[in-house]
Amino acid sequence: METLEAISNGTKTPPRTEEQPKKDKKKRHLPILQAAAAIADMNAVDYSGLADRTGVQWDSLKNYEIFSLSPDGSFPMMKVSRSKAVRLADRQVLMVGGGVCFRVSLSNHPTQNKPQL
């Protein structure tokens, strides 16, 4: 009986033996997140944003883009992969197959209710 040899691109690769240990990956030394000690250490914030009036297809959204299922921008969500979204209100992960949604932009925009000077 013949032994099978692994071949890759026309070159023979030696079979892996127990003598050849796996190479350990270098560990990243990333900083940890600093948590707030108490609610008293936190600030209250209000975000304003703009919601598109025209719906777009789910596939046209980029990953980590914020969107809503309604044109008024209520209940914002974030696309995190091709088939998953996260509800920002409760961080619930939802599976998504497609559909129409409305982009939400949270960047600095002038508001219409500004007092006139």
Side-chain angles (χ1 to χ4, degrees):
M1 187 175 256
E2 295 180 25
T3 60
L4 296 176
E5 296 178 1
I7 299 176
S8 173
N9 281 346
T11 60
K12 295 181 182 179
T13 57
R16 186 174 201 113
T17 63
E18 294 300 321
E19 298 170 5
Q20 297 173 341
K22 285 186 176 180
K23 294 181 182 178
D24 291 334
K25 290 185 178 181
K26 292 183 181 179
K27 291 185 178 179
R28 290 188 195 180
H29 297 289
L30 300 174
I32 61 171
L33 294 173
Q34 299 295 327
I39 291 181
D41 295 339
M42 301 175 81
N43 296 322
V45 294
D46 290 327
Y47 291 101
S48 61
L50 297 175
D52 280 350
R53 291 186 181 124
T54 331
V56 295
Q57 288 297 318
W58 167 256
D59 296 332
S60 67
L61 288 178
K62 295 180 181 177
N63 285 351
Y64 308 109
E65 194 167 355
I66 298 175
F67 69 96
S68 175
L69 296 177
S70 62
D72 64 357
S74 59
F75 302 105
M77 300 183 186
M78 181 183 291
K79 180 177 180 178
V80 292
S81 73
R82 186 183 328 162
S83 61
K84 291 182 184 174
V86 174
R87 245 187 336 230
L88 297 180
D90 59 0
R91 297 176 300 280
Q92 181 70 35
V93 177
L94 306 170
M95 299 301 291
V96 179
V100 177
C101 53
F102 301 87
R103 283 189 171 101
V104 175
S105 173
L106 295 179
S107 59
N108 294 332
H109 298 288
T111 60
Q112 295 175 350
N113 299 334
K114 272 188 174 178
Q116 297 294 330
L117 297 175

